[in-house]
């Protein structure tokens, strides 16, 4: 080969002409380092966890409140009414308790028992109280129902002038069995009455009458039996306030099946006035 066509060498790298780097075309560690890292948003997850924990605490607190409240209320009622320590009494509160406890007042409480004895009369009872203050004060209101059987209804009428030795229910009436004395001889008598309530008193309206096993005219028997006959043949109002706490008022009474269903109204001040827990008083005749 001839030296006339010799190879010309590449020029050396010069700072006058730096190598250009096209953005985004780089690869490798240098490119990764140059690219800004995207920060991961963690706060929604943190917030969700806090909400879940808070909900769990609220549920736990509500559960604890519902576990403690019935026993506390039961103890207070038993103490106030001087009931036996082993008295069966179910307590149930309505609504979510925590806001009510914080506010210091329960919306509604239901109390029920299969058997409770008040002033010698035993029956099943259901009472609903509203606006119950937790820091002292009167109840917003309360009412209830007492159910008694035939034997207890007989006890309820024991203080009256009626010849009551037994009671038989046949809804809506009650038949009273007893006797009265005529010339030293006991004469059996049976009177069927429809019970009710008027102004807090028990009202008995006669329906039929039997003397010595014979049915007699209710309207015409008054003269035959004198004052006893008059009492048996006209509606009677019987005060039973002396057989109930003073804070309870009879509002209605009816025979349902084999029970006498007595509705009562409860004075809200019974929670603060101890005299309302004492036996009531009947006016003198």
């Amino acid at each position: 080969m001839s030296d006339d066509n010799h190879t010309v060498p590449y020029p050396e790298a010069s700072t006058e002409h730096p190598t250009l780097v096209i953005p985004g075309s780089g690869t490798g560690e240098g490119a990764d380092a140059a690219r800004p890292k995207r920060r991961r948003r963690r706060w929604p997850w943190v917030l969700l966890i806090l909400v879940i924990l808070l909900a769990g605490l609220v549920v736990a607190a509500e559960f604890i409140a519902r576990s403690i409240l019935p026993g506390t209320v039961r103890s207070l009622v038993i103490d106030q009414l001087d009931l036996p320590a082993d008295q069966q009494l179910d307590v149930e509160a309505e609504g979510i308790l925590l806001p009510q406890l914080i506010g210091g007042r329960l919306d509604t409480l239901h109390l029920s028992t299969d058997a409770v004895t008040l002033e010698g009369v035993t029956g099943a009872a259901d009472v609903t109280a509203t606006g119950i203050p937790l820091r002292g004060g009167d109840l917003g209101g309360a009412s209830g129902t007492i159910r008694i059987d035939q034997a207890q209804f007989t006890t309820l009428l024991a203080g009256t002038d009626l010849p009551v030795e037994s009671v038989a229910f046949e809804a809506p009436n009650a038949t009273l069995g007893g006797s009265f004395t005529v010339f030293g001889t006991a004469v059996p008598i049976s009177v069927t009455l429809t019970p009710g309530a008027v102004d807090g008193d028990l009202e008995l309206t006669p329906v039929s009458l039997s003397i010595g096993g014979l049915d007699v005219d209710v309207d015409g028997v008054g003269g035959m039996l004198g004052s006893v006959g008059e009492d048996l043949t006209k509606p009677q109002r019987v005060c039973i306030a002396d057989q109930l706490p003073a804070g309870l008022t009879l509002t209605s009474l009816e025979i349902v099946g084999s029970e006498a269903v007595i509705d009562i109204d409860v004075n809200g001040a019974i929670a603060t006035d101890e005299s309302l827990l004492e036996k009531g008083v009947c006016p003198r005749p």
Side-chain angles (χ1 to χ4, degrees):
M1 296 185 64
S2 171
D3 293 335
D4 294 337
N5 297 314
H6 61 273
T7 302
V8 179
Y10 283 102
E12 294 182 359
S14 172
T15 58
E16 295 181 4
H17 303 285
T19 303
L20 298 179
V21 178
I22 299 175
S25 63
T27 57
E29 294 181 0
D32 290 340
R35 184 184 301 127
K37 292 185 178 180
R38 189 174 183 178
R39 300 182 64 183
R40 302 176 68 181
R41 300 174 67 182
R42 297 180 179 178
W43 67 265
W45 296 102
V46 174
L47 180 61
L48 178 61
I49 292 173
L50 289 177
V51 170
I52 293 174
L53 289 176
L54 181 60
L57 290 175
V58 170
V59 171
E62 179 75 11
F63 179 78
I64 293 172
R66 288 193 176 276
S67 299
I68 295 175
L69 181 66
T72 302
V73 173
R74 177 183 177 277
S75 297
L76 289 173
V77 173
I78 286 176
D79 181 63
Q80 291 294 320
L81 296 181
D82 196 24
L83 299 174
D86 60 352
Q87 171 68 49
Q88 177 261 325
L89 182 64
D90 298 327
V91 179
E92 182 180 355
E94 285 189 359
I96 301 176
L97 290 183
L98 283 182
Q100 299 178 49
L101 294 176
I102 294 172
R105 182 176 292 268
L106 298 178
D107 294 337
T108 305
L109 270 182
H110 296 291
L111 296 89
S112 62
T113 178
D114 294 333
V116 61
T117 300
L118 295 174
E119 303 300 337
V121 178
T122 301
D126 292 277
V127 177
T128 299
T130 58
I132 304 95
L134 300 178
R135 301 180 181 91
D138 296 347
L139 300 175
S143 61
T145 299
I146 300 174
R147 297 175 178 270
I148 61 176
D149 60 18
Q150 298 169 160
Q152 296 302 315
F153 193 74
T154 303
T155 302
L156 196 64
L157 299 178
T160 69
D161 295 331
L162 295 170
V164 183
E165 297 173 5
S166 65
V167 175
F169 291 157
E170 187 174 350
N173 301 321
T175 298
L176 314 183
S179 63
F180 63 97
T181 302
V182 177
F183 302 117
T185 302
V187 178
I189 187 172
S190 174
V191 56
T192 298
L193 306 157
T194 302
V198 176
D199 297 331
D201 291 338
L202 172 63
E203 183 178 60
L204 303 173
T205 303
V207 175
S208 62
L209 183 65
S210 171
I211 299 176
L214 300 175
D215 293 337
V216 297
D217 182 16
V218 173
D219 295 329
V221 76
M224 295 171 48
L225 301 177
S227 61
V228 175
E230 292 180 1
D231 289 341
L232 293 176
T233 57
K234 66 181 181 181
Q236 287 196 64
R237 288 179 60 170
V238 180
C239 176
I240 61 171
D242 58 351
Q243 300 185 57
L244 296 172
L248 306 185
T249 301
L250 175 69
T251 58
S252 72
L253 190 153
E254 62 178 334
I255 305 301
V256 179
S258 60
E259 296 177 317
V261 180
I262 305 170
D263 290 333
I264 59 172
D265 181 70
V266 183
N267 189 330
I270 199 171
T272 56
D273 188 349
E274 293 186 0
S275 67
L276 296 178
L277 295 171
E278 302 295 330
K279 186 185 295 185
V281 178
C282 286
R284 293 183 180 180

